[in-house]
Amino acid sequence: MSQDLKSLIKNYKEDKETVYNSWFVNNDERLKAFRSIRRGVFDVIQDIKTGNFGNDFKGSSLEFVLNCITEQKQVFKGASHPFYWKPKLRIPDIYENEENKIAFGQFLEKCINATKEEQILKEIILLDQKKIKGLGPAVASILYFLHPTVIPPCNTAIVNGFNTLFKDRVKLGSWTEYLRMREVVIEKNNELKSDLSNDLGAFAGLLLDVGERKLLINDNHISEEERTKIEKKLKKRHKEVTSEMEEEDLHTEMQYHIMTIGGSIGYDVIAASNDRSKCHNGKSLSFISLDKFPELEVDKDTYKTITLIDAVWFEKGTNKVACAFEVEKSTSIYSGILRLTDLHFSFKDNPPTLYLIIPDNREKEVLIQLQRPSIKNSEIEIHYILFSELKNNCDAICKFGEDKEILKKISRVAN
């Protein structure tokens, strides 16, 4: 290599705009994604078993999984593209070919239930031997969220970064090539895990930043044209990270408004367990929040999911959930809807009122998602409130509101 890897990792961690800092560490959305994706994979397996998977990517449970993955846009932007059904090419051949579809479902089931590295690698080799057209190492993007310490993600930028860093020629689209790359990644990560992480997402992010020339390695053979391209990419990355920070600030502001309203009209309020240390205009969410999430009569996994809902109102002095709120930004709304529906089904006899708080320019998209058959047929009513409506009416609602029904004045529902 043209630069000591340890030194490169040091630069990778110190640069606040690398994948390591913008996605891997201190990213609540990344951590939330693991459970959503795991649950979604179980749904794919079940749909294939029961014959409900369908013959297209659009509208399938696999689309849900890939949309959850592409929410992690710093690394997985475009991860769903290899799974789109391309009718002219008949790829990936897991939609119309029933035998291939079942093989894919069995592969996912064996991988999600695997407890050892050898089991997963065996299933990958067996899948490769079936030679299913169009079903290659893009599947590693799914497997990463099932086994993050065993399977590194794979995409064009990661492979390019690997080839640049290790002077190799790994080819895209080949499981054999992917497994060869993986061996090197595992070996180097084991050597340097004290500097990075057991989670291979950290190392994959390093490769991606190198592959996209957003993290420079010492190379005296870069042309001026290439340097100009690199500078443009660095500026683009800076803009993306800045935008992400602005979105996070806006997310916290909306949480603050909804919690302030709840407290003012007589409810106990609490923010998501990983958000309580955040501040809006110097005011910490923890100061208007309950100290701890009340105990609920639900199973452990569901309880953990509910504690990650952005804001929850409880009837004063009780553990009875009155309202729950998910604040959405530029990412998909799937994960938020999933947490709200988990809450609804946990208290079907006396369900809380559910709200999405959304940017004004995403209303059309939210309506489409709320009208999906899986939501409409469940008869779950999810209201939504625009950012501008919440912000502009916060003070008035705090002053004149008497109970949660006041929010109906500024909320809407999908018809």
Side-chain angles (χ1 to χ4, degrees):
M1 289 183 292
S2 59
Q3 180 175 344
D4 175 67
L5 188 54
K6 208 172 182 68
S7 174
L8 182 63
I9 288 172
K10 183 173 182 290
N11 294 339
Y12 174 56
K13 293 172 69 175
E14 289 178 350
D15 185 338
K16 297 303 180 184
E17 295 180 355
T18 61
V19 168
Y20 184 82
N21 287 299
S22 66
W23 175 72
F24 187 75
V25 294
N26 301 321
N27 187 334
D28 300 334
E29 294 302 320
R30 187 181 88 89
L31 298 178
K32 288 178 182 180
F34 280 88
R35 183 176 184 275
S36 298
I37 292 163
R38 188 176 182 84
R39 173 174 168 167
V41 170
F42 275 119
D43 289 341
V44 172
I45 295 166
Q46 188 62 25
D47 284 349
I48 291 174
K49 281 183 177 180
T50 58
N52 294 318
F53 184 71
N55 60 2
D56 194 2
F57 177 76
K58 300 297 285 184
S60 71
S61 46
L62 183 61
E63 182 189 23
F64 169 83
V65 170
L66 269 298
N67 279 332
C68 287
I69 290 173
T70 54
E71 284 183 11
Q72 314 302 305
K73 57 188 177 183
Q74 298 91 335
V75 174
F76 295 95
K77 183 179 179 181
S80 60
H81 294 165
F83 296 90
Y84 290 164
W85 173 229
K86 303 167 186 68
K88 291 183 179 179
L89 300 174
R90 321 313 280 182
I91 59 171
D93 198 9
I94 55 172
Y95 301 110
E96 293 186 343
N97 187 308
E98 197 64 25
E99 184 179 337
N100 289 345
K101 185 184 300 182
I102 291 171
F104 180 55
Q106 291 174 343
F107 167 79
L108 291 176
E109 184 173 48
K110 289 175 181 176
C111 286
I112 202 169
N113 292 324
T115 57
K116 296 180 181 179
E117 177 182 7
E118 293 79 11
Q119 294 172 302
I120 303 166
L121 298 182
K122 175 186 174 183
E123 294 306 322
I124 288 175
I125 292 168
L126 290 175
L127 181 69
D128 187 33
Q129 288 176 350
K130 294 183 184 299
K131 301 300 178 187
I132 299 174
K133 285 197 304 181
L135 195 66
V139 178
S141 295
I142 299 174
L143 297 186
Y144 165 72
F145 285 95
L146 306 181
H147 300 284
T149 63
V150 176
I151 300 295
C154 181
N155 59 33
T156 303
I158 289 172
V159 171
N160 288 343
F162 180 88
N163 287 338
T164 300
L165 194 57
F166 296 104
K167 305 302 181 188
D168 208 324
R169 294 182 179 180
V170 168
K171 298 176 183 176
L172 283 166
S174 164
W175 275 116
T176 302
E177 293 282 278
Y178 168 81
L179 291 175
R180 183 167 70 82
M181 179 179 77
R182 176 190 169 276
E183 287 301 315
V184 178
V185 170
I186 294 290
E187 178 188 342
K188 294 301 179 183
N189 196 66
N190 285 339
E191 290 175 7
L192 299 159
K193 68 172 59 176
S194 61
D195 297 307
L196 280 173
S197 171
N198 284 328
D199 186 325
L200 296 173
F203 201 99
L206 171 69
L207 296 179
L208 186 140
D209 276 341
V210 171
E212 293 194 332
R213 295 299 182 98
K214 293 178 180 178
L215 184 66
L216 296 182
I217 61 175
N218 288 337
D219 192 337
N220 296 323
H221 304 290
I222 299 177
S223 67
E224 282 302 313
E225 182 182 0
E226 185 65 10
R227 287 187 184 279
T228 301
K229 289 181 179 178
I230 290 170
E231 288 300 320
K232 286 183 179 179
K233 287 191 174 182
L234 291 173
K235 288 179 181 178
K236 182 181 178 183
R237 188 186 70 178
H238 177 78
K239 184 178 179 180
E240 288 170 350
V241 172
T242 302
S243 176
E244 191 77 22
M245 291 173 62
E246 290 173 353
E247 285 183 4
E248 192 59 40
D249 290 343
L250 189 56
H251 182 275
T252 302
E253 179 185 352
M254 294 303 124
Q255 281 178 290
Y256 179 82
H257 289 321
I258 206 67
M259 292 174 68
T260 300
I261 289 171
S264 296
I265 60 179
Y267 294 93
D268 288 332
V269 301
I270 193 165
S273 56
N274 43 20
D275 287 340
R276 283 170 220 151
S277 61
K278 295 180 179 179
C279 297
H280 169 61
N281 284 346
K283 299 172 183 177
S284 173
L285 297 185
S286 65
F287 278 64
I288 56 175
S289 176
L290 292 170
D291 290 334
K292 61 179 293 187
F293 208 94
E295 294 296 325
L296 301 175
E297 293 182 5
V298 295
D299 64 77
K300 184 178 179 181
D301 285 343
T302 301
Y303 181 79
K304 186 175 181 181
T305 298
I306 294 172
T307 65
L308 292 174
I309 291 174
D310 287 322
V312 179
W313 293 0
F314 291 91
E315 300 290 351
K316 197 72 173 179
T318 75
N319 67 344
K320 180 183 177 183
V321 182
C323 298
F325 307 84
E326 277 290 333
V327 181
E328 301 304 332
K329 301 176 290 181
S330 66
T331 53
S332 166
I333 67 166
Y334 288 108
S335 297
I337 289 177
L338 180 64
R339 284 188 286 277
L340 293 179
T341 53
D342 271 355
L343 181 64
H344 173 91
F345 285 118
S346 298
F347 303 99
K348 288 186 71 174
D349 293 336
N350 192 10
T353 310
L354 308 177
Y355 290 93
L356 290 169
I357 313 298
I358 64 168
D360 293 34
N361 61 0
R362 299 196 70 200
E363 183 176 12
K364 185 176 180 180
E365 179 188 348
V366 168
L367 285 172
I368 291 172
Q369 301 308 325
L370 291 179
Q371 290 170 340
R372 290 168 67 96
S374 58
I375 300 299
K376 290 189 71 173
N377 295 342
S378 67
E379 298 183 355
I380 298 174
E381 186 171 61
I382 299 179
H383 305 256
Y384 66 92
I385 300 174
L386 303 179
F387 278 8
S388 61
E389 293 280 5
L390 179 61
K391 184 174 182 178
N392 294 338
N393 293 287
C394 180
D395 291 343
I397 294 174
C398 288
K399 185 174 182 179
F400 299 111
E402 296 182 353
D403 58 33
K404 67 179 185 179
E405 294 301 312
I406 189 66
L407 290 182
K408 301 287 179 67
K409 299 285 187 182
I410 60 169
S411 68
R412 309 175 191 186
V413 294
N415 296 321

